Amino acid sequence: MLFTDRVDAGTRLAEALRHLEGEDPVVLGLPRGGVPVAFQVARALHAPLDVIVVRKLGVPYQRELGFGAIGEGGVRVISDDIVRRGRLDESDLASVEHAEAAELARQAERFRAGRQRLPLDGRTAIVVDDGVATGATAAAACEVARAQGAARVVLAVPVAPPDAAERLRSALDEFVCLSTPFAFSAVGEWYRDFSQTPDDEVVSLLAQAAEGPGADAGTPEEPAADEDVEQEVAIDAAGVRLTGDLMVPAGAGAVVMFAHGSGSSRHSPRNRLVAAALNDAGLGTLLFDLLTPAEENNRAKVFDIETLAGRLADATGWLRGRTAGQIGYFGASTGAAAALRAAAGSGADVGAVVSRGGRPDLAGPHLSGVRAPTLLIVGGNDTMVIELNRAAQTALRCENQLEIVPGATHLFEEPGALQQVADLARDWFLTHLVKQV
């Protein structure tokens, strides 16, 4: 059984748990990935949702071997057998427990955002995760739920290996699992999209559940037309979860997406200066990274224009579902090539492209397919990149322009140089995006 994502897994898991609806259950999601699954279960069963925060207590010299677990409310579950075999003394136990207790308290406060833990006394607790491998953490969570007063504990997961499923089934009041494939190596292989669940998503889902059944998962409240929108967002792009900063001034008729390349990111002060200038002119901006932190130091990933363009195209689709205005691209370095490649794609509907010190030449034969008006900005002292941009310009068949900022080097670090870039980009987007609205 293959799941599209955690929402799909939670929806299907809820159907297998319908028999518990009359037991007035409490649904408990294991952070982080278990919470999106649990949200769907809680919504289908009309049950309250909470997070169950558990910290494994690992043997000091072999952290992956757990001698117990702790949960909120001072709950402490210890395996006397492992303590004895590991020859652990009270100081060992106290040191590990003290460190994990501090992290447990931090996580619980972060996820609940000030709300109280839901009481479990006498109720059925449905502990939900997005899957189990060994089942150790899920089993510890069930023990914690029992120690917190639950009269009955049910563990529900979409997928688990057969041996772990058998152990859990014999140790719990009830174990519900949709799939136990023999060819099991990792939970993520049974999901098309198993991208990381950020803390912010956990916080948002728990807040929506606390607001009641009218809350809609993943759909933020629509802001008033006269309000600015400024928020951190999570974007699913080509199976990768990317984080971005969205800023849309009230009444903005267009949004510019920043495609960051090598040596750049959404935190770059250069990109943020340009974005601020666009915001001041009434344009929205979305700054996000095309690469994950783990990929940024991989040179092959940095220059994989097809992958970067694919992620940008997917992110554009995500943004298009949230704005009615025109969309433009601002690309830097290899991000410029990705922007042009995406703009040349079949069905691309991009209003304008601006490249800052970019490598448009890396878009190669796709340059001739770009239809969006394109502005190339290069520093006057960045001689090699000037030549690469001139060569790319000859391949473009759309309206285009090459602007050279006198005396500027590749990063436009000279006094006033970056402001000139911001002014040029602002004027280009105002001319080619806003006039189309």
Side-chain angles (χ1 to χ4, degrees):
M1 181 178 291
L2 187 64
F3 304 100
T4 302
D5 53 19
R6 292 181 177 90
V7 172
D8 175 46
T11 302
R12 292 203 241 175
L13 190 60
E15 290 302 313
L17 295 166
R18 288 286 185 186
H19 63 286
L20 298 174
E21 189 172 358
E23 295 188 20
D24 190 29
V26 176
V27 179
L28 305 171
L30 273 161
R32 300 177 177 81
V35 174
V37 181
F39 183 93
Q40 301 301 323
V41 171
R43 186 165 64 170
L45 301 185
H46 307 287
L49 173 68
D50 201 356
V51 65
I52 183 161
V53 184
V54 175
R55 298 295 298 179
K56 184 177 75 173
L57 303 176
V59 173
Y61 54 83
Q62 192 176 350
R63 290 291 186 182
E64 66 275 11
L65 176 61
F67 65 82
I70 57 173
E72 294 174 88
V75 170
R76 185 171 181 261
V77 180
I78 302 296
S79 170
D80 293 330
D81 180 56
I82 293 179
V83 169
R84 184 177 59 257
R85 288 191 287 120
R87 298 180 180 179
L88 305 177
D89 58 30
E90 286 300 321
S91 64
D92 292 326
L93 304 187
S95 175
V96 174
E97 188 170 344
H98 178 75
E100 294 299 339
E103 180 60 19
L104 183 144
R106 186 198 69 78
Q107 284 191 336
E109 174 61 26
R110 163 70 172 147
F111 293 142
R112 288 207 185 87
R115 290 184 301 277
Q116 295 298 309
R117 176 171 61 87
L118 294 180
L120 302 181
D121 302 88
R123 302 184 69 174
T124 295
I126 305 176
V127 177
V128 178
D129 205 355
D130 53 10
V132 298
T134 66
T137 301
C142 290
E143 291 188 62
V144 167
R146 178 86 69 193
Q148 288 175 345
R152 188 161 180 259
V153 179
V154 178
L155 175 61
V157 297
V159 62
D163 55 344
E166 190 60 34
R167 287 195 306 271
L168 292 167
R169 191 171 285 111
S170 62
L172 298 167
D173 294 323
E174 186 175 353
F175 176 61
V176 176
C177 181
L178 301 181
S179 179
T180 55
F182 285 100
F184 184 102
S185 59
V187 172
E189 69 180 340
W190 302 101
Y191 285 79
R192 288 193 178 91
D193 176 7
F194 197 65
S195 49
Q196 184 177 1
T197 303
D199 283 0
D200 287 346
E201 183 176 345
V202 174
V203 173
S204 174
L205 290 173
L206 291 171
Q208 289 174 40
E211 290 170 5
D216 186 12
T219 305
E221 183 179 348
E222 194 70 27
D226 59 350
E227 291 181 359
D228 292 351
V229 174
E230 185 171 8
Q231 59 187 184
E232 184 176 86
V233 296
I235 304 166
D236 288 320
V240 176
R241 180 65 59 90
L242 304 173
T243 302
D245 297 322
L246 179 66
M247 171 60 188
V248 183
V255 179
V256 176
M257 302 179 70
F258 280 63
H260 301 128
S262 56
S264 185
S265 79
R266 66 189 175 100
H267 300 296
S268 162
R270 294 182 295 277
N271 290 324
R272 289 195 169 272
L273 184 148
V274 176
L278 299 183
N279 295 153
D280 289 344
L283 295 167
T285 53
L286 174 60
L287 292 96
F288 74 107
D289 301 322
L290 294 172
L291 297 173
T292 66
E295 294 171 331
E296 288 174 352
N297 296 321
N298 184 331
R299 191 169 177 81
K301 293 286 188 181
V302 169
F303 284 88
D304 185 352
I305 304 304
E306 288 297 318
T307 294
L308 298 180
R311 292 181 182 180
L312 178 57
D314 278 6
T316 304
W318 175 91
L319 179 60
R320 202 170 295 288
R322 290 156 177 79
T323 180
Q326 281 285 314
I327 292 176
Y329 290 158
F330 181 94
S333 190
T334 53
L340 289 165
R341 173 65 185 93
S346 175
D349 182 18
V350 179
V353 178
V354 172
S355 163
R356 171 184 66 80
R359 290 290 309 275
D361 57 295
L362 294 176
H366 301 288
L367 288 169
S368 60
V370 177
R371 294 173 294 281
T374 299
L375 173 66
L376 309 175
I377 307 174
V378 188
N381 291 347
D382 196 6
T383 53
M384 181 179 295
V385 174
I386 289 176
E387 293 308 311
L388 293 173
N389 273 254
R390 281 179 172 154
Q393 187 183 19
T394 63
L396 290 170
R397 298 293 178 264
C398 58
E399 177 185 350
N400 65 82
Q401 188 171 317
L402 174 63
E403 289 282 353
I404 297 177
V405 178
T409 50
H410 186 64
L411 296 180
F412 300 89
E413 296 175 303
E414 294 71 24
L418 195 58
Q419 188 58 54
Q420 290 185 59
V421 172
D423 292 344
L424 289 166
R426 176 201 62 210
D427 294 346
W428 191 263
F429 286 127
L430 286 176
T431 298
H432 295 93
L433 288 183
V434 177
K435 76 173 185 178
Q436 301 178 34
V437 177

